[in-house]
Amino acid sequence: MRDDVAAADSAGAGTAVGEAEQVRWLDTDQQWAWRRFLEGTSRFFEALGDAHEDDIQVSLGEYHLLVQLSEAPDWTLRMSALADFLALSRSRLTHTVARMEKRGLVTRRPAPGDRRGVHCVMTDAGYAVLVAAAPAHVTAVRRLLVDVLDADELTTLGRAMAKVAHAARTGA
Amino acid sequence: MRDDVAAADSAGAGTAVGEAEQVRWLDTDQQWAWRRFLEGTSRFFEALGDAHEDDIQVSLGEYHLLVQLSEAPDWTLRMSALADFLALSRSRLTHTVARMEKRGLVTRRPAPGDRRGVHCVMTDAGYAVLVAAAPAHVTAVRRLLVDVLDADELTTLGRAMAKVAHAARTGA
DNA sequence: ACCGGATAGTTGATGGCTCAACTATTTTGG
DNA sequence: CCAAAATAGTTGAGCCATCAACTATCCGGT
């Protein structure tokens, strides 16, 4: 219990004698990359959230919700479509939309043609908030991500994360 | 209010005439990479969290806390050091450690030499939980990240995220 | 020796997220 | 055409994170 402890990501914790060992631990390079990813995402989202608190009237999640609506016809999207785009649970979306509705940023209407469905519509006030928030948001994304990387690094990052998203969607 | 709306990440929302325009919006490729990053991280952490709920007695955050302690001499770390390593706020760490202490995974002791300080020490029970959790954790990290990417993609991802972490740490 | 400010950590209130349970509607299979 | 299952969305309880305020200790300068 001294050296074998180090790095539960890579070392032989759990190698009980006589028990089938089928875990492929991470090698040094893989572990390094994984930890950079972990720390980087954590600090990135924390810093981006801070930027939103400083300059902006909406949280990061609310901002992305408004962005999705701004790109939809009539600023309108089904709740379920919104949940898919934003990778949010239905429940969380309901709560978030309810809060934003109270602040006048969106409204809800019954969906025509499917009486189970609900449409979420961005209001003019919501659009105004989005427009006001966009400059600080984009500036922060540049400062914390886009301008920090070479163009090909950014491209590779995008491609890699597309693969990761796909793996998470399917392999769940 | 129809076409100019699309993509508040890139388009001219906020371009009031006569007002100085100094925001550099994202071009198409940059925006694509940024959105892949956003979706990928979101789905990745959700899926990894699910894996922890299925097979493991500790949440992802608690697991990483135990990993840090397992790599420290005497399974012991100052609260502030732990907070730095895990990129956690002091308050959040206090609450998390308090919960884990109740479950017997760690204990707290006054730090020798600095009467303000507190040492966090992993218990044998905590180590046992870590050992039990490691295989499923590593398997999930492989399935969702490491094995999904080419070796050079993973390396580039690690390098890129190291840069991002640095930018977030300094430019905050 | 002392005062001001920095550092270490905790606390409690508030608010958001997660989970399970629930209603209502639509679709599917027999 | 009906029953069972799938889909859409909401609700409320409990848990966790965040924030501001607070105590205690240490350091740095005079």
Side-chain angles (χ1 to χ4, degrees):
Chain A
M1 283 220 198
R2 318 131 329 271
D3 289 311
D4 59 328
V5 170
D9 277 346
S10 68
T15 53
V17 176
E19 197 175 274
E21 176 56 63
Q22 42 226 8
V23 178
R24 290 160 48 232
W25 303 98
L26 303 183
D27 68 33
T28 306
D29 289 347
Q30 290 169 335
Q31 188 174 169
W32 178 85
W34 155 236
R35 296 213 176 176
R36 281 334 104 214
F37 177 70
L38 203 55
E39 183 193 357
T41 52
S42 170
R43 297 205 189 272
F44 171 81
F45 284 108
E46 185 195 351
L48 186 57
D50 287 351
H52 270 255
E53 282 168 19
D54 292 345
D55 301 318
I56 307 182
Q57 302 103 310
V58 281
S59 74
L60 185 56
E62 293 169 339
Y63 178 82
H64 287 133
L65 196 154
L66 292 177
V67 168
Q68 289 298 330
L69 290 176
S70 78
E71 294 174 358
D74 298 322
W75 291 351
T76 299
L77 239 27
R78 273 289 277 272
M79 292 291 281
S80 50
L82 212 37
D84 286 347
F85 289 148
L86 299 170
L88 294 178
S89 73
R90 301 259 157 92
S91 173
R92 181 170 174 182
L93 181 63
T94 295
H95 286 304
T96 300
V97 166
R99 263 176 273 131
M100 293 177 76
E101 193 170 33
K102 267 178 204 148
R103 291 161 57 198
L105 304 178
V106 298
T107 59
R108 276 182 286 193
R109 321 185 66 257
D114 184 343
R115 274 178 299 187
R116 297 170 302 181
V118 173
H119 275 180
C120 180
V121 187
M122 179 167 63
T123 63
D124 288 343
Y127 182 71
V129 166
L130 176 60
V131 166
H137 171 79
V138 173
T139 299
V141 170
R142 276 200 176 275
R143 177 173 55 82
L144 296 166
L145 183 77
V146 173
D147 288 350
V148 166
L149 304 178
D150 305 334
D152 58 327
E153 279 178 333
L154 185 63
T155 301
T156 300
L157 177 70
R159 192 158 21 85
M161 294 313 294
K163 289 186 182 181
V164 169
H166 181 260
R169 252 187 270 106
T170 60
Chain B
M1 284 222 195
R2 313 137 331 274
D3 288 311
D4 59 328
V5 170
D9 278 345
S10 67
T15 53
V17 177
E19 196 178 273
E21 177 54 61
Q22 44 226 8
V23 178
R24 291 160 47 233
W25 303 98
L26 302 183
D27 68 32
T28 306
D29 289 347
Q30 290 170 335
Q31 189 174 166
W32 178 83
W34 155 237
R35 297 213 174 176
R36 278 336 103 213
F37 177 71
L38 202 56
E39 184 193 356
T41 52
S42 171
R43 296 205 190 271
F44 171 82
F45 284 108
E46 186 195 352
L48 187 56
D50 287 350
H52 270 254
E53 282 168 20
D54 292 345
D55 301 317
I56 306 183
Q57 301 104 312
V58 281
S59 74
L60 185 57
E62 292 169 339
Y63 178 83
H64 288 133
L65 196 154
L66 292 177
V67 168
Q68 289 298 329
L69 290 176
S70 78
E71 295 174 359
D74 298 323
W75 292 351
T76 300
L77 239 28
R78 272 289 278 272
M79 293 291 282
S80 50
L82 213 36
D84 286 347
F85 288 148
L86 298 169
L88 256 43
S89 74
R90 301 259 156 91
S91 175
R92 179 171 173 181
L93 182 62
T94 295
H95 286 305
T96 300
V97 166
R99 263 176 272 133
M100 293 176 76
E101 193 170 32
K102 267 176 204 151
R103 291 161 58 197
L105 305 178
V106 299
T107 59
R108 275 182 286 193
R109 322 183 67 256
D114 186 342
R115 274 179 298 188
R116 298 170 300 179
V118 172
H119 275 180
C120 181
V121 187
M122 178 167 63
T123 63
D124 288 342
Y127 182 71
V129 166
L130 177 59
V131 166
H137 171 80
V138 174
T139 300
V141 170
R142 275 199 176 276
R143 177 173 54 83
L144 295 166
L145 183 76
V146 173
D147 288 351
V148 167
L149 305 178
D150 305 335
D152 58 327
E153 279 178 333
L154 185 63
T155 302
T156 300
L157 177 69
R159 190 157 22 84
M161 293 314 293
K163 289 186 182 180
V164 169
H166 181 260
R169 253 188 268 105
T170 61

